[in-house]
Amino acid sequence: MKNKTDKAEEQKTREPTVENIRDLILDAKKKAYAETDSEPEPELTSTVEWPVTCTVGPGLEGAIACESKIGYVNGSKGWLIYRGYDIFDLCAYSTFEETSYLLLHGRLPSQSELTEFTTSLRERMFIPQTQRLMLSFPIETMNPMSALRLGTNLMRQKQTYRDRDSDTEVGEILATDDDTIPMETRPAGKKNPVFEFLTGLFKRVHPASADALVGSDEIESCYNLIAGVASVAATIGRTRAGRIPLEPLPECGFAGNYLYMVTGKRPTALEERIMDISLILHADHGMNASTFASMVVASTLSDIYLAIGAGISALSGPLHGGANVEVVKMLAEIGDPSNAGNWFRDTTAAKKKIMGFGHRVYKAYDPRARILGPISALLTENDATLKKTYATAVALEAEVVSELGATKKIFPNVDFYSGIVYSAMGIPRELYTTVFAVSRVAGWCARVVEYLENNRIFRPRALYTGTFDEKYIPPNER
Ligand code: CMC
């Protein structure tokens, strides 16, 4: 039996305070490490000689597209690491500004660099010209992610390297679209075929370095994008609510300003901290679809604003960032924790996917869900409606994990609890995926800049399974 003091202590740790949130993250870290202790440690962290051999599945599963020092996801240990720093530690101690600096520059900033970067982002959140342009479109009725892509592309008002006539020799770089795997490549058998570079044919015909393009201009564009996408997202939220866009407040950090510019309310220290954590934990995640989309566009030496626009487009789908909106719709449909079991059985019998579960890489519990789950528990404690939504989520998680966790290693992913957290902070449901984008833009920028340092246009191949020798018959004779 718990005595009165224990109960009071327990009650105190359940109060949503900045300190309790930090403890909760550090507890989640301990639990995560204990649960995956028996999984093998990763071995390879050095560079390799190319070409590399990997087993590729549909959807490029298993394909290695490049080397990177930015971030690391270990699916069996449930690790997420940015530039060597564990996601749990960054969420416990860092801010979004500091984490963005880390991703972009490869190291934590000094105090003065951090102050300068924070100020610079705040100044760049002021985008009246882009807002004016945005308001000439019907953004209040557009899908918020389409509006975000539009607004992001509208931010590109200043010259970027693509607008310059001189000092950029793109001719040789653009010529890298050569096929280095000849069509005659022979698969050795139909089942698990092996496609190899024919001996001696793999070579870097063109070095394709974009060094000349990766200078201060690119970094300036990244700063503009990280700050500006948040303001564009907030502008969309305000416009949808029939209100005028707001300017950033001088006393708030990035997360606080973003929240303020979306909701119109000055956030509490706790709300600012939770938004910071949400932004930190969504900032980068390996070669996910939207990051890859940004990198593919950038690899053509297109333009970083267009590359980030591509990332936003890819993120919007329900299999990717769009899942956070679908999760909350799904929880509303289930309605009550007592319905979770039947709903789960009906859904799996109909062979439908359950939103917010499963991951291409994680075969252990997603560390981001380990953080957002307990935070949503804390935030929903005093709101009857949200408390029920959270309880429904917990009931569904128990059903899914007990059945699919064991057989298919399916656990909640980052999108399962994030919507509940955003909802508790007054962010409307239709904007959830834009919050994801506001954060991920830091990872997209970092990876694009890193890739451009040793750029080669992305150009995979498709296995042609069509016919040959078809005879053309004019339309009127078909
Ligand atoms: N519910 C039920 N079964 C699932 C789920 C799910 N959410 N996810 C995967 N499976 C099953 C799937 O049916 C398949 O079973 P089987 O081997 O019997 O055919 C097996 O697990 C492997 O699934 P997959 O579809 O081949 O996995 P994938 O790597 O192609 O897809 C995914 C990954 C995230 C798209 C998928 O798990 C999914 O659709 N999840 C729901 C949408 C979602 O929550 N997306 C957010 C992803 S995390 C945040 C982000 O990066 O965007």
Side-chain angles (χ1 to χ4, degrees), residues 24-50:
L24 166 162
I25 293 168
L26 296 174
D27 285 350
K29 178 183 179 183
K30 265 193 223 145
K31 197 164 168 232
Y33 276 69
E35 275 177 23
T36 58
D37 199 33
S38 58
E39 295 290 336
E41 293 279 324
E43 279 165 23
L44 194 67
T45 56
S46 59
T47 57
V48 293
E49 295 259 316
W50 289 73

Side-chain angles (χ1 to χ4, degrees), residues 58 61 285 288-289 315 317-324 327 344 348 351-361 363 366 368 400 404 408 410 413-416 436 440:
E61 178 170 13
H285 207 253
N288 60 86
L315 186 72
L319 295 186
H320 196 1
N324 59 12
V327 166
F344 169 67
T348 38
K351 300 211 174 315
K352 287 193 193 149
K353 291 235 176 115
I354 301 149
M355 288 292 131
F357 285 89
H359 200 273
R360 173 66 61 80
V361 183
K363 301 304 164 202
D366 184 331
R368 304 165 300 175
V400 177
L404 301 180
K408 298 186 184 174
I410 289 177
N413 59 47
V414 67
D415 292 320
F416 191 57
F436 194 151
R440 186 57 59 85

Side-chain angles (χ1 to χ4, degrees), residues 422-475:
Y422 302 152
S423 181
M425 288 198 294
I427 299 176
R429 182 202 282 181
E430 65 276 11
L431 298 183
Y432 294 170
T433 314
T434 62
V435 184
F436 194 151
V438 165
S439 161
R440 186 57 59 85
V441 69
W444 292 331
C445 284
R447 293 207 180 236
V448 161
V449 168
E450 181 187 60
Y451 191 74
L452 283 178
E453 277 165 17
N454 194 20
N455 184 57
R456 193 168 202 221
I457 191 167
F458 280 108
R459 183 27 171 116
R461 294 278 292 265
L463 193 59
Y464 180 66
T465 58
T467 59
F468 292 99
D469 301 328
E470 297 282 358
K471 189 172 163 1
Y472 182 81
I473 300 164

